[in-house]
Amino acid sequence: MQIEAINLESLELHGVSFDKLDFSVCKAITNLSFTCVWNMNESSSLENLIPNLPLLENLTLGNMRGGNLKDIKILSQNMKSFNVNNRYDGEMTVVIEWAPKLASFSYTGNINFCITMESSNFLNGTFEILKIENNFEDDWFISMIEFLLNLNCSWNMVTLHVDKAEPLIGLINLKIISPLPLVNWEHLRVLTKCKSEKESELRDALRWIFPSLKTISIAKRAT
């Protein structure tokens, strides 16, 4: 499918096959959202597309069920916000090689995720963690810590959306395994369901996980 709207500024596509799309004349796009069926070799096609949209400011990428978008590299001169939806079980790695104006990143999905940014931009990050199970074992807590450590960017403010506070409180039990401080964030906001009598435990756990915190806020997550 060739899209020939030369002056098109915003485009949202859901449930289509990426390999069927042709954006070669759409140089005016500033807002682009894909929730696509991806083939294994299409990450390179996506990587070639993004730099050829010189006015692109806001990008959203999402996997369909069974989607194969696993490795994403981003180069963009004017991108300001980047959103990733990975609502299913697949692993995903994002490398932002060059995006000098990028100011915000958001992720919704599982904890099998890694992001690295090679430039020194300070970003505002939002992470909504899905599919948290009720039974927690050491392996899950270790995977959660690895997820946090794999968010390799220079963060300004980070907002964590977690359905319930117990998984974060339980992370402090890893002191027995790893007694050293872990994640080097300074400003954190947590949105979760937490009983008032448990909030002090949550704060203690967060201060251990994020020993460099300067500001921390805990708010009730909307249902």
Side-chain angles (χ1 to χ4, degrees), residues 156-169:
N156 180 21
M157 170 65 75
V158 177
T159 301
L160 282 180
H161 294 251
V162 182
D163 183 55
K164 46 197 172 186
E166 286 79 1
L168 294 177
I169 294 172

Side-chain angles (χ1 to χ4, degrees), residues 165-166 168-172 175 190 192-209 213 216-219:
E166 286 79 1
L168 294 177
I169 294 172
L171 288 173
I172 202 168
K175 275 186 173 182
V190 176
T192 190
K193 298 175 185 176
C194 183
K195 297 179 181 179
S196 57
E197 62 269 23
K198 290 287 187 179
E199 186 169 323
S200 62
E201 292 182 45
L202 177 57
R203 288 183 180 274
D204 288 343
L206 293 173
R207 290 191 182 101
W208 175 73
I209 301 165
L213 281 179
I216 179 174
S217 67
I218 299 172

Side-chain angles (χ1 to χ4, degrees), residues 6 13 23 27 36 49 76 82 98 101 145 160 162 165 186 188 200-202 219 223:
I6 296 175
L13 296 170
F23 294 88
K27 303 298 185 182
C36 287
L49 169 67
S76 177
F82 181 26
W98 185 67
K101 296 183 180 179
I145 289 293
L160 282 180
V162 182
E186 294 187 349
L188 176 65
S200 62
E201 292 182 45
L202 177 57
T223 56

